[in-house]
Amino acid sequence: MTVKSVKGFRDTLPGESNVWRRVEERIRGAFHTWGFQEILLPFLERTELFARSLGETTEVVEKQMYSFQDLRGESLSLRPEGTASAVRAYIENHLDQGDPIVRLFYTGPMFRYERPQKGRYRQFNQMGIELIGDPSPEADAEVLSLLDYLLAHVGVTDVTLAINNLGHAGCRPAYLDALRGYLASSREDLCADCLRKAEQNPMRVLDCKVEACIAVAAGAPSILDHVCAECRAHFEAVRALLDLNGVKYVVDPRIVRGLDYYVRTAFEATSSRLGAQNAVAAGGRYDGLVKALGGPDVPGLGFAIGMERLLALLPEDADVPSDRPSVAMVGAGSNEARQAAFLLADRLRRSGVAVGWGGGRSLKSQLRRADKAGASYVIILGDEELEKDEVVLRDMRHQSQERVPRARVGDILLRRLGLDETVKG
Ligand code: ATP
Ligand code: MG
């Protein structure tokens, strides 16, 4: 009997992992250009961290956490997202004591116990940023502009960036009252989950994916009519900067985000091509969070991109460099000839040439395999070549071959593959 992977946990196979890493490199590059530096965070945190930051009554904390007690009885959880950990690390390592504005990015797996389906897994990957210490609307516009740039930069088109203004702790209660009042009048149309949320956390009803609830949400009062003058001014300033910058977006008063810590700007990037799980990235401002977790009273904001969904949006013909070996080594004949081929392959790899090892027995089957693997060159080293201290270098694309001295084949290949500069430099 074979042992299968855990439900909702998936393998990323070589073809896909190649695309994945390339996309990740591009995003990483852009994060650096925008001044963000990587923070490597643990996958495991105290459960309390998420309960206190995301909110006790959020779906993630209530139902989706992989929590367990360790051998000393402490409740620990696999991280369901990155912001709580980043903020914890910011506080714990006193990152506020250097530059007042701290820019961090993280990448890696997150864990949520949800119903697995297309675009929704129990282990999924995010790349995200946190910009801590900047209260200005410029910071919001910059973060949104970065997200807009990134999606285009990796080749993802037809995404919609939707933004909303969630107000702040001062002005949101008035809206929540209005919303509770409205929801009370449509109780018979709400799903069981939303009936409960309507009292506890009414904004979450706007996020429900049940059709009847969507219809109720469509008629709900808009938060944009309830936010205070300061929150309104902040949002208008963000919008003005986005307009100036040519960043396209829509304002959607139903974007509430699942986590409690967001204030003012909240946003989502969605694509209809993703089906039901349509959000590829999301984020917002979380000005009270650092303080709520015991740190200084500094503002913050950020976003996270869902890597699996981002990859699903890439065009089929995304230009992906091949990670297949460009040279195949074919050793034939005596044990000495095969040893010499082994050593030459090793030397070439150490100088930066990707060499696939022949395998198989006969010369013919090794050549066939090299062709199938897409090698551009094949090196043949048999007893005759060993004796003359040569190899046969076959150019697969041009179907031509020549004999070259064994000692020179490395330089010749580096030059022909265009690797000579990169390797030396
Ligand atoms: P959704 O509404 O799809 O459940 P969310 O609001 O729970 O998303 P966030 O917590 O904001 O998602 O996470 C940011 C991004 O991470 C999402 O936009 C999505 O791309 C990705 N993501 C979240 N949960 C999952 C999951 N279970 N599987 C794959 N990707 C996910
Ligand atoms: Mg979710």
Side-chain angles (χ1 to χ4, degrees):
M1 208 178 68
T2 55
V3 181
K4 297 269 171 52
S5 64
V6 179
K7 190 174 169 196
F9 289 68
R10 58 195 283 277
D11 303 308
T12 304
L13 300 178
E16 192 190 346
S17 69
N18 186 27
V19 183
W20 186 305
R21 290 302 175 218
R22 174 179 147 269
V23 167
E24 191 174 308
E25 274 320 304
R26 287 208 154 189
I27 295 176
R28 214 177 255 282
F31 283 170
H32 279 297
T33 308
W34 258 255
F36 291 88
Q37 290 185 302
E38 184 164 18
I39 184 164
L40 302 172
L41 297 162
F43 295 1
L44 201 62
E45 299 275 3
R46 292 170 205 273
T47 301
E48 182 196 354
L49 174 68
F50 302 114
R52 276 175 56 190
S53 56
L54 312 191
E56 299 272 5
T57 62
T58 54
E59 200 159 33
V60 173
V61 170
E62 273 186 341
K63 302 190 238 168
Q64 300 181 342
M65 292 230 287
Y66 277 93
S67 301
F68 62 94
Q69 299 209 330
D70 72 2
L71 294 178
R72 294 183 55 188
E74 179 159 28
S75 179
L76 303 176
S77 297
L78 286 173
R79 61 179 188 187
E81 55 109 58
T83 300
S85 301
V87 169
R88 190 226 8 94
Y90 169 89
I91 299 168
E92 192 168 338
N93 298 287
H94 310 290
L95 300 188
D96 59 307
Q97 284 167 19
D99 192 322
I101 296 178
V102 172
R103 293 158 178 261
L104 304 170
F105 80 84
Y106 58 82
T107 161
M110 306 295 161
F111 305 85
R112 295 184 196 175
Y113 194 82
E114 341 197 36
R115 197 163 67 78
Q117 52 202 290
K118 189 165 171 287
R120 193 176 290 292
Y121 309 102
R122 290 180 172 175
Q123 175 180 320
F124 59 97
N125 286 264
Q126 290 186 337
M127 288 186 85
I129 56 154
E130 310 299 345
L131 202 177
I132 305 178
D134 192 341
S136 73
E138 283 80 7
D140 305 52
E142 182 191 320
V143 160
L144 283 160
S145 179
L146 171 56
L147 179 59
D148 171 75
Y149 168 76
L150 281 177
L151 295 170
H153 184 55
V154 301
V156 169
T157 47
D158 59 19
V159 275
T160 305
L161 191 57
I163 65 176
N164 191 18
N165 184 359
L166 298 180
H168 78 300
C171 56
R172 201 181 305 160
Y175 173 65
L176 294 182
D177 282 346
L179 185 58
R180 275 197 197 93
Y182 168 79
L183 293 174
S185 69
S186 356
R187 287 183 67 84
E188 54 277 17
D189 296 325
L190 295 177
C191 72
D193 233 15
C194 284
L195 272 178
R196 199 167 48 85
K197 287 185 209 152
E199 269 309 308
Q200 276 188 346
N201 201 342
M203 276 166 79
R204 298 296 317 286
V205 174
L206 306 182
D207 208 21
C208 182
K209 284 161 185 139
V210 174
E211 212 152 302
C213 301
I214 294 176
V216 173
S222 165
I223 187 152
L224 296 172
D225 298 330
H226 288 80
V227 296
C228 66
E230 284 85 23
C231 287
R232 194 182 304 263
H234 182 93
F235 192 59
E236 290 313 317
V238 174
R239 291 189 58 183
L241 287 164
L242 292 176
D243 292 340
L244 265 176
N245 204 11
V247 172
K248 294 210 170 49
Y249 62 89
V250 296
V251 174
D252 182 350
R254 274 178 303 281
I255 289 185
V256 299
R257 312 292 308 114
L259 317 175
D260 278 358
Y261 53 58
Y262 289 109
V263 297
R264 292 192 167 166
T265 317
F267 53 89
E268 255 174 34
T270 58
S271 171
S272 55
R273 287 202 287 126
L274 285 172
Q277 272 53 254
N278 65 357
V280 63
R285 186 170 267 288
Y286 49 77
D287 290 350
L289 181 62
V290 183
K291 185 155 184 254
L293 289 177
D297 189 7
V298 292
L301 75 165
F303 63 69
I305 303 173
M307 292 302 284
E308 286 78 3
R309 294 186 197 171
L310 182 68
L311 269 111
L313 283 177
L314 286 185
E316 285 286 328
D317 58 350
D319 109 77
V320 181
S322 168
D323 60 357
R324 286 182 303 194
S326 38
V327 176
M329 178 70 71
V330 170
S334 69
N335 201 31
E336 286 71 34
R338 294 179 66 85
Q339 270 178 2
F342 169 85
L343 291 174
L344 179 58
D346 189 75
R347 215 184 72 218
L348 288 171
R349 286 172 178 152
R350 286 173 190 252
S351 72
V353 180
V355 183
W357 181 249
R361 286 273 107 191
S362 75
L363 185 63
K364 213 167 135 202
S365 74
Q366 290 188 62
L367 283 172
R368 206 177 319 116
R369 194 166 158 265
D371 193 35
K372 229 171 130 190
S376 336
Y377 292 93
V378 173
I379 298 171
I380 303 168
L381 209 170
D383 288 306
E384 193 192 332
E385 288 76 28
L386 183 63
E387 189 149 327
K388 295 184 179 153
D389 208 15
E390 287 177 343
V391 298
V392 172
L393 182 60
R394 180 187 289 220
D395 181 331
M396 298 298 274
R397 218 160 2 126
H398 299 108
Q399 292 294 319
S400 61
Q401 65 179 46
E402 62 195 304
R403 289 182 166 274
V404 300
R406 192 145 47 114
R408 287 203 46 233
V409 67
D411 284 342
I412 294 172
L413 279 172
L414 283 172
R415 205 169 47 246
R416 294 207 188 150
L417 294 168
L419 294 169
D420 45 350
E421 289 310 311
T422 29
V423 171
K424 279 187 201 119

